[in-house]
Amino acid sequence: MKLTEKTIASQSVFEGRVIHVKHDKVELENGKTAMREIVEHPGGVCVAALTENRELLFVRQFRYPYKEIVLELPAGKLEKGQNPLENGKRELLEETGAIGREYVTLGQLYPSPGYCGEIIHLYFCKIDHFENQQLDQDEFLNVERIPLDTALRMVHRNEIPDAKTQVAILKTAALLQENGM
């Protein structure tokens, strides 16, 4: 099997500040057609920033789609014209006031490949020093430090439901173990 689909027609359904929704007609490899609903998203970045005491910096913020406060690693939407690493550095500073060093890529994450084209770039860094937070006007959050070992247990107990945060914690722990850190 080729496992491909060819776009025959595409209709824009919604153009928002962050997302673009399309309704596409596709041709399947067997010649039949199907409809696809697609959410285009500019992508995101997430940073696992480690203190000298092996604590990760987290943010707690209200997430409207879930109507609850969610514990996450610092993260944000990719901005046009900037590469993911620069976006990650900016988000870490904006949300926590931290300046990182020795950034390492932890790869990419496709959060919902069935309908959304978002790609989240994951990074690890060590914290060099702190400056002032630079929150956006519509951003309200609390910063927390959680030991890496505690964060790992929280992932396994499903106390951190955010996918990008779970993956970044697990990959950070693996990276540090592989490097004897």
Side-chain angles (χ1 to χ4, degrees):
M1 290 190 186
K2 296 179 194 173
L3 302 176
T4 60
E5 297 178 357
K6 179 183 174 186
T7 305
I8 298 171
S10 183
Q11 176 186 5
S12 180
V13 177
F14 173 78
E15 184 76 40
R17 187 176 59 84
V18 177
I19 64 167
H20 177 210
V21 179
K22 298 186 323 180
H23 196 234
D24 289 0
K25 183 176 183 179
V26 298
E27 180 181 347
L28 306 173
E29 66 179 77
N30 65 2
K32 295 184 179 183
T33 61
M35 300 306 292
R36 301 288 184 241
E37 295 172 349
I38 306 299
V39 176
E40 292 181 339
H41 187 284
V45 63
C46 176
V47 180
L50 194 69
T51 69
E52 61 186 22
N53 296 324
R54 289 183 63 88
E55 301 162 317
L56 288 172
L57 293 185
F58 285 84
V59 297
R60 256 188 221 279
Q61 60 186 324
F62 184 79
R63 289 301 196 178
Y64 187 80
Y66 302 103
K67 306 290 191 281
E68 66 182 56
I69 297 168
V70 178
L71 180 67
E72 303 171 63
L73 291 173
K77 177 177 68 74
L78 287 179
E79 298 295 332
K80 290 181 182 175
Q82 283 193 328
N83 69 38
L85 178 57
E86 293 308 311
N87 269 264
K89 291 177 180 180
R90 186 196 73 245
E91 287 294 337
L92 181 63
L93 174 63
E94 284 180 8
E95 293 187 355
T96 69
I99 302 291
R101 61 180 161 78
E102 301 176 29
Y103 278 82
V104 176
T105 183
L106 297 174
Q108 298 176 345
L109 171 71
Y110 295 3
S112 295
Y115 66 90
C116 185
E118 180 182 16
I119 298 173
I120 300 176
H121 302 266
L122 307 173
Y123 293 96
F124 163 79
C125 73
K126 295 178 182 175
I127 296 173
D128 187 60
H129 66 278
F130 286 90
E131 296 181 0
N132 292 326
Q133 274 180 308
Q134 300 172 10
L135 297 175
D136 293 333
Q137 289 180 342
D138 63 348
E139 195 169 33
F140 303 92
L141 54 83
N142 292 328
V143 178
E144 296 182 21
R145 295 178 185 214
I146 299 175
L148 176 58
D149 292 339
T150 301
L152 276 168
R153 285 192 299 277
M154 292 172 75
V155 168
H156 292 297
R157 291 190 306 246
N158 200 35
E159 295 172 8
I160 301 175
D162 178 57
K164 69 184 178 306
T165 297
Q166 289 182 8
V167 171
I169 291 168
L170 295 171
K171 286 188 166 194
T172 293
L175 174 73
L176 295 176
Q177 184 177 15
E178 288 171 9
N179 292 311
M181 300 169 78

